[in-house]
């Protein structure tokens, strides 16, 4: 079995979903790592690892979707709820830009009290007042929320945001693209089909986006493959994804903690990462998620198919709410990449090179 | 074994060829390994060696670490655990404090601590003896070489006498701490009050010769060079060549904490940690085990290390002051369930062990059992383990696991086969001795006929050999002696001892003083019956699917064919751990027949009739 797979991957042939499942269930860790390396070096032949200097604030924690894997949100009117003004956020972005940040990954809450104009104004003013910063704003759930608040179609929402100056979307909110799973862990969120559909429309307008997967809760291995299969087919159609980012569910302070008390193991993470690199043969990049798996495993991930170390994430709130705190800075990211044996390269959101850090 | 590696770094290829020939790696090889960025290939090489040694088993122990005091006369720069007497935070535990920390499920108590100037020798002995008496299931692993040397100087006793009294009090093994890095340069800079390499090695070798196995460590990630690390490993390897007394090597990632030592990086990188585990596995070809000590490495890196050459995760530990005070990232306690999950997720078999690595509980199913002796290597060496997991356990234990259904295929001791015959299907392989075996030996103070009325110690591992001994005594020599199961290394209490497998081979090399006579039981049998002797047969559970039976049949056949043509290669690594050269190993393996032929079947029936089973 392994021998055939090896030949197939070396000959750049596509892996079927059955084969994907076999890789996930039966292939020893280092064999997967080896196969993933073949694909990684075909896609990104240089021994470089990219990263982006970014920050990940949240403009509101008000949310009505009630995902049981989330410890961050508050209901409208609940203690501890907050929503920042556009002025406040612009000021925050300016401070970040002064620290060298090039990308702001901004997400909610899906706050039903915010009008669509809030979002448009935020994008316009960001482009105008903080041009150093690239607005990598709003997950699919928020796009759907804007459509509901404004009565506009999803296509129209995306078009107006584009006209305001947005060019890319973060890939969050995908969790596991299977309606069975979504119904159980995020009943009020968009369906798997809708997530794909929003991304399709966005890519067709010209947006680039990432895709994510949050595993390690109630999904089956078949559903992991289903997730990968769905985004691989969409990428065939649109070529709009820049990178794939898997991470493991963090149970702290979430309702799901009662059922899933432990983090998925690092071995599992490396397997899933390597499988993703092999399976998603039409994705240019796969990111190591040092933030969710820890810096040590994030570093090891660079040998299991990842060619990107993600962002420096100067601010982050969602994992922090689950008592999972991890911090870094640009110097440390450069060190970590170097120690792993690669050349660190700072990039933009769209993978343009900012700076190569030689040895 | 799927041993194809797609090297990204071609500098590794000559090293891989050496490993496949069973050759020892040099300092230069070690430097190439440390330099490589081809982490996956390095891991695969380490895993290749690890599987040969330990199959797919990963060990852990329900243990409790005791640090009886933090008061210490030394001031080592890398330690922020030690306090001076009277200083804030200084503590000294009474024997009762210590006993109160131990619970009945604990199987290993690990004792190390500071060295206060005013403790009496009896206090140290009492710690060991009181634990030993109150918790007989908890084996005591106590006192580093530094402490042993301290006792020797302070209480004016020889090292041997210190160890003898501790052993008598109940000490089973010694931990490997205090080795740091064997380099005078580093010692002068960081721990000039510690004993250094010569004393450390002398204490351990002395312990080994007295039947006390020990561990070894290396503290890395401070100011040492890569070359100094490799020299450290090579020195340990040479010591192990002499005594074969080391059980486990434990690389310890340095935790800077408040020590004031400024290493290049705050913590060792995960890549350095994994490389060090893998390179230790490859360089220390004569060490049975490599430990990924999660308290120092973090739970996450230790988990990954299980695929990079480590086969031991230490244990539940209980409390870990030294590493924790210096800022180790791990939580204080790792529940047993968590360890089992980590090991399973790594694709390995979780094995709860005792201090000597005897398996106490196996958390797995559908396993293939492997007798972990040199003589079974030809059957298993080239076995592809992509399709099944291999568990090394001694014959007697394997019989029990077959019965429980944990093990579904493998070599089974002949006596156990007799007992479970109706549930088992015989395959056409076995381990049979022609006219001598070398590794089933009665070491005796007397000749056969003078053993009448004496007590013979029986190593706990044996199932068939003890029966063979019984019939030889009774029916060949007409002698009645009592047989008694004994704990390892307790030989002097008996008039004779029967040892099997690696333990017999080791003792043939090193001889046991006072045991003048050595009888090879296969020779005794051959002279008596003019037949080979079958010690174990290869069997599978009848309930196994035909597909799996065929797969096993096919895989073993392939492995054995290849193995028989490469005897000088496949056993050399294993042989080295027993002090055997490649040539001696080859000669030993040539003495066996692995195919169950007519003569072997006849021998089985003759033995069956004599022992009267069925």
């Amino acid at each position: 079995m392994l021998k055939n797979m090896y030949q197939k991957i070396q000959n750049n042939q596509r892996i079927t979903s059955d084969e994907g499942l076999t890789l996930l269930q039966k292939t020893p860790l280092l064999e997967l790592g080896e196969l993933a390396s073949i694909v990684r070096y075909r896609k990104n032949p240089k021994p470089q690892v990219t990263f982006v200097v970014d920050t990940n604030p949240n403009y509101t924690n008000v949310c009505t979707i009630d995902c049981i894997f989330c410890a961050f949100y508050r209901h409208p009117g609940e203690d501890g709820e907050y929503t920042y003004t556009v002025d406040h956020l612009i000021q925050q972005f300016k401070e970040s830009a002064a620290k060298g940040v090039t990308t702001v990954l901004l997400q909610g809450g899906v706050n039903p009290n915010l009008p669509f104009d809030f979002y448009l104004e935020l994008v316009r003013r960001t482009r105008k007042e903080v041009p150093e910063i690239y607005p990598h704003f709003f997950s699919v759930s928020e796009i759907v929320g804007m459509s509901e608040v404004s009565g506009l179609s999803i296509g129209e929402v995306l078009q107006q945001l584009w006209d305001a100056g947005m060019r890319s979307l973060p890939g969050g909110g995908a969790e596991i693209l299977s309606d069975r799973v979504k119904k159980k862990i995020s009943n009020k969120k968009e369906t798997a089909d809708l997530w794909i559909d929003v991304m399709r429309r966005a890519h067709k307008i010209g947006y680039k986006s990432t895709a994510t997967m949050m595993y390690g809760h109630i999904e089956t291995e078949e559903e992991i493959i289903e997730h990968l299969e769905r985004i691989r087919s969409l990428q065939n159609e649109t070529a709009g994804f820049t990178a794939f980012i898997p991470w493991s569910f963090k149970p702290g302070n979430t309702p799901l903690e009662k059922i899933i008390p432990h983090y998925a193991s690092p071995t599992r993470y490396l397997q899933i990462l390597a499988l993703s690199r092999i399976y998603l043969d039409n994705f240019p990049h796969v990111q190591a998620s040092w933030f969710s798996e820890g810096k040590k495993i994030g570093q090891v991930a660079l040998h299991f198919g990842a060619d990107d170390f993600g962002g420096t994430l100067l601010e982050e709130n969602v994992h922090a709410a689950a008592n999972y705190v991890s911090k870094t800075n640009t110097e440390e990211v450069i060190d970590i990449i170097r120690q792993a044996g690669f050349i660190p390269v700072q990039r933009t959101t769209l993978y343009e090179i900012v700076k190569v850090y030689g040895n | 074994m799927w041993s194809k590696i797609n090297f990204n770094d071609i500098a590794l290829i000559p090293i891989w060829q050496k490993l496949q020939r069973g050759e020892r790696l040099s300092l230069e090889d070690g430097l190439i390994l440390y330099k490589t960025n081809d982490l996956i290939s390095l891991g695969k090489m380490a895993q290749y060696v690890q599987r040969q040694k330990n199959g797919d088993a990963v060990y852990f122990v329900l243990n409790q670490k005791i640090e009886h005091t933090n008061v210490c006369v030394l001031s080592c720069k890398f330690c922020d655990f030690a306090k001076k007497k009277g200083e804030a935070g200084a503590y000294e535990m009474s024997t009762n404090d210590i006993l109160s920390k131990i619970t009945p499920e604990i199987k290993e108590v690990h004792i190390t601590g500071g060295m206060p100037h005013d403790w009496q020798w009896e206090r140290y002995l009492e710690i060991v003896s009181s634990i030993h008496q109150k918790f007989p299931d908890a084996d005591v692993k106590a006192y580093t070489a530094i402490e042993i040397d301290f006792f020797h100087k302070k209480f004016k006793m020889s090292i041997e006498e210190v160890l003898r009294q501790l052993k008598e009090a109940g000490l089973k093994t010694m931990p490997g701490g205090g080795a740091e890095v064997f380099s005078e340069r580093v010692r002068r800079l960081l721990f000039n009050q510690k004993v250094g390499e010569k004393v450390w090695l002398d204490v351990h070798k002395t312990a080994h010769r007295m039947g006390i196995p020990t561990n070894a460590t290396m503290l890395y990630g401070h100011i040492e060079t890569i070359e100094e690390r490799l020299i450290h490993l090579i020195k340990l390897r040479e010591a192990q060549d002499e005594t074969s007394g080391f059980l486990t090597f434990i690389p310890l990632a340095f935790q800077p904490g408040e020590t004031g030592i400024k290493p290049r990086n705050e913590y060792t990188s995960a890549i350095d940690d994994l490389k060090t585990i893998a390179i230790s596995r490859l360089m220390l070809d004569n060490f049975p085990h490599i430990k990924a000590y999660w308290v120092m490495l973090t739970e996450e890196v230790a988990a990954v290390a299980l695929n990079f050459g480590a086969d031991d995760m230490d244990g539940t530990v209980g409390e870990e002051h030294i590493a924790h005070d210096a800022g180790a990232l791990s939580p204080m306690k790792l529940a047993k369930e968590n360890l089992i999950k980590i090991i399973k997720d790594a694709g390995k078999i979780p094995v709860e062990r005792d201090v000597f690595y005897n398996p106490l509980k196996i958390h797995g199913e559908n396993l293939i059992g492997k007798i972990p002796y040199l003589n079974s290597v030809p059957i298993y060496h080239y076995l592809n383990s992509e399709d099944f997991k291999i568990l090394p356990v001694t014959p007697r234990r394997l019989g029990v696991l077959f019965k429980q259904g944990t093990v579904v295929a493998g070599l089974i001791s002949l006596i156990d086969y007799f007992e479970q015959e109706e549930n088992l299907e015989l395959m056409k392989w076995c381990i049979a001795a022609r006219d001598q075996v070398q590794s089933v030996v009665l070491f005796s103070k007397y000749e056969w006929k003078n053993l009448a009325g004496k007590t013979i110690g029986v190593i706990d591992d044996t199932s068939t050999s003890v029966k063979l001994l019984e019939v030889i005594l009774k029916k060949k020599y007409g002698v009645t002696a009592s047989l008694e199961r004994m704990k390892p290394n307790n030989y002097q209490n008996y008039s004779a001892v029967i040892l099997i497998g690696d333990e017999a081979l080791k003792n043939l090399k090193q001889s046991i003083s006072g045991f003048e006579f050595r009888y090879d039981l296969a020779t005794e049998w051959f002279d008596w019956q003019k037949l080979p002797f079958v010690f174990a047969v290869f069997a599978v559970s009848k309930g196994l699917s035909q597909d799996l039976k065929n797969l096993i049949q096919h895989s073993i056949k392939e492995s054995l064919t290849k193995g028989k043509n490469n005897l000088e290669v496949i056993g050399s690594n294993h042989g080295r751990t027993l002090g055997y050269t490649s040539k001696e190993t080859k000669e030993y393996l040539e003495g066996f027949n692995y195919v169950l032929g007519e003569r072997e079947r006849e021998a089985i029936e003759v033995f069956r009739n004599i022992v009267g089973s069925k």
Side-chain angles (χ1 to χ4, degrees):
Chain A
M1 195 291 289
L2 205 47
K3 247 178 217 167
N4 300 341
M5 208 73 92
Y6 198 90
Q7 272 170 2
K8 231 178 147 175
I9 289 163
Q10 219 153 26
N11 298 334
N12 203 1
Q13 286 169 283
R14 181 159 276 197
I15 293 296
T16 67
S17 41
D18 281 350
E19 288 166 338
L21 194 59
T22 309
L23 280 174
L24 183 58
Q25 291 175 332
K26 299 227 167 113
T27 313
L29 178 65
L30 295 188
E31 311 298 345
L32 266 179
E34 192 170 62
L35 294 171
S37 294
I38 296 174
V39 182
R40 184 261 195 239
Y41 285 108
R42 181 158 60 229
K43 294 266 164 200
N44 299 284
K46 290 185 186 166
Q48 294 182 337
V49 167
T50 46
F51 67 96
V52 62
V53 180
D54 70 351
T55 184
N56 195 353
N58 296 78
Y59 56 91
T60 181
N61 65 352
V62 174
C63 195
T64 52
I65 296 187
D66 295 344
C67 303
I68 64 170
F69 55 83
C70 181
F72 172 68
Y73 71 87
R74 295 289 179 274
H75 285 154
E78 195 182 338
D79 263 6
E81 69 146 287
Y82 74 86
T83 302
Y84 295 139
T85 62
V86 174
D87 283 342
H88 175 101
L89 288 163
I90 295 291
Q91 184 53 36
Q92 217 180 324
F93 298 167
K94 282 182 180 162
E95 284 162 19
S96 297
K99 289 182 200 154
V101 165
T102 64
T103 292
V104 174
L105 197 174
L106 182 75
Q107 299 179 112
V110 181
N111 182 344
N113 299 322
L114 286 173
F116 186 42
D117 279 346
F118 169 88
Y119 304 98
L120 291 175
E121 188 197 343
L122 180 62
V123 174
R124 277 193 214 105
R125 284 188 57 191
T126 305
R127 300 285 352 210
K128 200 170 145 211
E129 294 174 38
V130 207
E132 312 89 294
I133 278 206
Y134 193 94
H136 192 51
F137 291 176
F138 313 133
S139 66
V140 167
S141 308
E142 292 157 271
I143 302 290
V144 173
M146 291 174 209
S147 157
E148 282 165 7
V149 160
S150 65
L152 298 169
S153 71
I154 283 169
E156 188 57 29
V157 165
L158 285 166
Q159 189 60 53
Q160 289 196 25
L161 289 169
W162 175 273
D163 294 342
M166 263 181 59
R167 291 296 177 266
S168 75
L169 291 175
E175 329 313 356
I176 292 283
L177 292 170
S178 138
D179 287 335
R180 184 195 75 88
V181 177
K182 287 207 153 231
K183 220 169 246 165
K184 289 209 158 145
I185 65 172
S186 52
N187 188 25
K188 294 188 217 159
K189 228 180 211 177
E190 71 284 352
T191 61
D193 280 345
L194 184 55
W195 192 93
I196 290 285
D197 190 53
V198 172
M199 282 298 179
R200 180 185 287 115
R201 284 168 195 275
H203 291 168
K204 293 213 162 138
I205 290 169
Y207 283 94
K208 293 287 177 187
S209 77
T210 56
T212 63
M213 176 171 79
M214 184 186 74
Y215 68 91
H217 38 90
I218 61 160
E219 82 289 349
T220 64
E221 287 171 325
E222 286 78 4
E223 284 159 346
I224 287 176
I225 301 293
E226 184 187 341
H227 182 101
L228 296 177
E229 180 56 38
R230 276 179 178 244
I231 58 175
R232 187 172 73 177
S233 342
L234 181 60
Q235 178 76 339
N236 261 2
E237 204 184 313
T238 64
F241 289 119
T242 53
F244 178 66
I245 314 153
W247 63 68
S248 61
F249 163 63
K250 296 292 170 299
N253 298 338
T254 71
L256 199 49
E257 186 178 14
K258 285 194 190 103
I259 312 165
I260 318 281
H262 294 297
Y263 300 173
S265 73
T267 310
R268 188 69 175 164
Y269 172 68
L270 296 174
Q271 279 174 329
I272 287 190
L273 185 78
L275 170 71
S276 310
R277 181 60 288 179
I278 297 163
Y279 202 87
L280 300 175
D281 53 8
N282 52 8
F283 272 62
H285 304 286
V286 170
Q287 290 189 16
S289 183
W290 67 267
F291 186 77
S292 66
E293 310 309 317
K295 289 170 211 164
K296 289 196 168 225
I297 298 305
Q299 184 184 43
V300 176
L302 301 178
H303 289 274
F304 285 78
D307 64 290
D308 187 278
F309 203 62
T312 50
L313 291 185
L314 299 183
E315 181 188 346
E316 201 281 342
N317 311 302
V318 177
H319 274 118
N323 290 338
Y324 191 92
V325 183
S326 205
K327 279 216 165 290
T328 189
N329 55 52
T330 308
E331 292 68 42
E332 191 184 39
V333 166
I334 290 167
D335 263 0
I336 289 172
I337 294 171
R338 276 198 184 130
Q339 286 163 357
F342 297 95
I343 300 163
V345 175
Q346 190 190 340
R347 63 161 173 90
T348 65
T349 313
L350 296 180
Y351 284 83
E352 298 141 342
I353 290 180
V354 175
K355 185 173 177 189
V356 177
Y357 291 85
N359 294 313
Chain B
M1 190 170 298
W2 171 258
S3 51
K4 195 177 168 318
I5 301 180
N6 175 40
F7 285 99
N8 280 328
D9 179 0
I10 55 167
L12 301 181
I13 293 173
I15 297 177
W16 176 228
Q17 288 164 346
K18 264 179 137 173
L19 291 170
Q20 288 180 305
R21 289 194 301 265
E23 287 171 30
R24 177 162 271 194
L25 301 187
S26 65
L27 176 71
E28 290 69 30
D29 294 329
L31 290 169
I32 292 170
L33 292 173
Y34 258 116
K35 215 174 137 195
T36 191
N37 284 331
D38 192 353
L39 188 70
I40 298 274
S41 300
L42 174 61
K44 285 185 80 171
M45 292 195 288
Q47 183 131 241
Y48 168 80
V49 174
Q50 188 209 3
R51 283 219 180 102
Q52 282 175 41
K53 291 193 178 285
N54 296 295
D56 295 296
V58 168
Y59 299 92
F60 70 97
V61 60
L62 304 182
N63 61 352
Q64 175 70 46
K65 186 156 184 177
I66 303 280
E67 281 142 5
H68 44 278
T69 176
N70 62 354
V71 174
C72 194
V73 294
L74 303 189
S75 311
C76 299
K77 281 193 184 157
F78 58 82
C79 178
D80 60 3
F81 168 72
K83 301 269 189 256
K84 296 295 161 206
K85 204 166 177 93
E87 196 183 332
Y91 72 86
E92 298 175 53
M93 290 169 84
S94 71
T95 302
N96 278 337
D97 292 339
I98 291 169
L99 289 173
S100 72
K101 295 247 171 215
I102 303 168
T103 50
E105 71 269 24
I106 294 292
K107 293 295 184 295
E108 176 190 290
V109 183
H110 176 140
I111 306 168
T112 60
M115 292 178 284
H117 71 277
D118 56 352
W119 281 34
Q120 297 305 305
W121 171 232
E122 288 68 29
R123 189 161 174 184
Y124 295 100
L125 281 179
E126 190 194 82
I127 292 176
V128 176
S129 61
S130 60
I131 294 172
H132 180 59
Q133 279 155 22
K134 198 151 178 223
F135 299 95
D137 286 343
D139 289 324
V140 178
K141 175 173 87 179
Y143 307 128
T144 61
I146 315 301
E147 291 161 276
I148 300 291
D149 183 63
F150 175 75
F151 302 152
H152 147 68
K153 289 186 180 128
K154 184 162 174 57
F155 305 117
K156 305 201 171 25
M157 290 185 287
S158 68
I159 300 278
E160 284 84 354
E161 185 55 22
V162 170
L163 290 170
R164 196 194 60 74
Q165 291 193 28
L166 285 169
K167 192 179 177 192
E168 202 177 276
L171 177 106
K172 294 288 163 46
T173 66
M174 267 173 59
E180 321 310 1
V181 171
F182 293 152
S183 149
E184 259 314 287
R185 184 189 73 85
V186 175
R187 193 180 77 88
R188 283 207 198 107
L189 289 169
L190 294 192
F191 43 94
N192 60 4
Q193 300 176 17
K194 266 200 185 166
V195 295
E197 146 196 356
K198 190 183 171 307
V199 174
W200 192 95
L201 286 170
D202 279 351
V203 170
H204 280 262
K205 286 194 264 186
T206 305
H208 298 167
R209 282 190 276 265
M210 295 171 65
I212 303 169
T214 72
N215 292 340
T217 60
M218 172 173 78
L219 187 71
Y220 70 98
H222 41 89
I223 61 161
E224 84 293 353
T225 65
I226 295 299
E227 198 165 347
E228 281 165 342
R229 289 188 197 180
L230 290 163
I231 290 170
H232 182 95
L233 296 178
I234 289 170
K235 284 176 176 166
L236 287 174
R237 184 169 77 183
E238 285 166 357
Q240 178 77 332
D241 277 344
E242 276 179 57
T243 61
S244 302
F246 288 113
L247 288 169
T248 316
F249 175 71
I250 311 147
L252 299 173
F254 177 63
Q255 318 276 340
E258 303 299 314
T259 56
I261 297 173
K262 291 269 174 274
R264 269 166 307 223
N265 298 293
E266 196 187 343
Y267 291 101
T268 56
S269 78
I271 303 297
D272 192 10
D273 293 339
L274 293 176
K275 275 187 177 177
T276 301
I277 291 273
I279 292 166
S280 306
R281 180 61 291 169
L282 294 173
M283 295 298 290
L284 296 176
D285 53 12
N286 52 6
F287 271 62
H289 304 286
I290 303 288
K291 184 183 287 187
Y293 187 43
W294 64 265
V295 177
M296 293 288 201
L297 284 177
T298 73
E299 193 183 311
E300 287 78 14
V301 175
V304 179
L306 303 182
N307 275 288
F308 280 79
D311 66 286
D312 184 15
M313 270 205 95
D314 197 74
T316 47
V317 183
E319 283 181 85
E320 233 303 355
H321 293 301
I322 293 179
H324 188 76
D325 283 354
L329 299 169
S330 301
M332 281 294 262
K333 284 188 183 192
L334 244 195
K336 177 179 151 183
E337 285 68 31
N338 195 29
L339 280 175
I340 292 172
K341 180 178 184 297
I342 287 171
I343 296 169
K344 280 193 172 163
D345 278 350
K348 308 285 178 182
I349 313 162
V351 179
E352 264 178 81
R353 63 165 174 84
D354 69 6
V355 76
F356 300 110
Y357 286 81
N358 294 310
L360 301 174
K361 191 163 182 207
I362 285 103
H363 302 268
E365 50 197 18
N366 290 326
L367 307 175
I368 295 211
K370 173 187 172 180
I371 294 176
Y373 302 150
L374 180 55
N375 57 27
S376 80
V377 166
I379 292 184
Y380 293 93
H381 184 85
Y382 290 108
L383 198 57
N384 187 338
S385 54
E386 189 191 324
D387 301 301
F388 24 68
K389 292 195 174 32
I390 296 175
L391 176 74
V393 273
T394 55
R396 187 160 174 241
R397 179 81 191 152
L398 199 50
V400 176
L401 293 170
F402 254 110
K403 207 180 228 171
Q404 292 170 351
T406 309
V407 165
V408 293
L411 283 171
I412 178 168
S413 194
L414 188 60
I415 285 289
D416 295 323
Y417 172 71
F418 288 158
E419 196 195 319
Q420 301 177 43
E421 211 163 358
E422 42 204 71
N423 304 318
L424 296 176
E425 189 175 316
L426 214 50
M427 290 204 166
K428 56 183 180 188
W429 302 289
C430 64
I431 291 193
R434 297 197 175 93
D435 53 359
Q436 60 161 7
V437 56
Q438 291 186 50
S439 51
V440 179
V441 182
L442 184 77
F443 293 81
S444 180
K445 293 174 182 165
Y446 309 95
E447 287 184 64
W448 285 108
K449 58 181 189 312
N450 296 332
L451 278 169
K454 301 281 195 307
T455 303
I456 301 177
V458 175
I459 194 166
D460 202 37
D461 306 338
T462 152
S463 192
T464 298
S465 301
V466 62
K467 274 283 171 204
L468 179 59
L469 174 63
E470 254 176 49
V471 300
I472 288 172
L473 277 168
K474 226 181 274 173
K475 303 198 173 161
K476 185 176 175 189
Y477 291 104
V479 168
T480 310
S482 53
L483 304 185
E484 193 177 293
R485 295 269 175 197
M486 63 180 175
K487 288 250 178 182
N489 303 325
N490 227 354
Y491 308 149
Q492 293 302 335
N493 300 345
Y494 300 94
S495 302
V497 294
I498 170 117
L499 302 182
I500 67 165
D502 289 1
E503 192 60 22
L505 289 176
K506 222 189 282 181
N507 283 292
L508 279 176
K509 271 275 159 183
Q510 286 162 9
S511 78
I512 319 174
S513 62
F515 292 80
E516 193 186 334
F517 302 96
R518 294 168 179 187
Y519 297 110
D520 184 319
L521 294 202
T523 308
E524 293 291 331
W525 170 263
F526 183 80
D527 291 346
W528 183 24
Q529 301 291 341
K530 304 295 173 225
L531 278 172
F533 190 80
V534 179
F535 287 94
V537 290
F538 200 100
V540 296
S541 291
K542 277 190 179 155
L544 220 54
S545 76
Q546 196 54 45
D547 278 0
L548 205 48
K549 282 182 194 164
N550 292 344
L551 183 65
I552 291 169
Q553 170 103 9
H554 174 78
S555 308
I556 300 275
K557 192 179 165 194
E558 241 183 31
S559 175
L560 190 58
T561 310
K562 205 168 166 199
K564 277 205 268 195
N565 292 328
N566 291 286
L567 286 183
E568 72 286 358
V569 167
I570 58 171
S572 63
N573 184 306
H574 190 129
R576 219 177 281 137
T577 63
L578 308 169
Y580 279 59
T581 64
S582 299
K583 192 164 162 279
E584 287 169 322
T585 299
K586 184 175 181 238
E587 282 167 8
Y588 168 67
L589 292 176
E590 280 168 349
F592 290 93
N593 181 11
Y594 295 99
V595 177
L596 192 58
E598 279 310 306
R599 297 255 300 153
E600 286 72 27
R601 284 177 195 275
E602 188 188 340
I604 289 175
E605 290 318 311
V606 170
F607 185 62
R608 189 203 294 273
N609 288 333
I610 295 177
V611 296
S613 310
K614 288 196 184 167

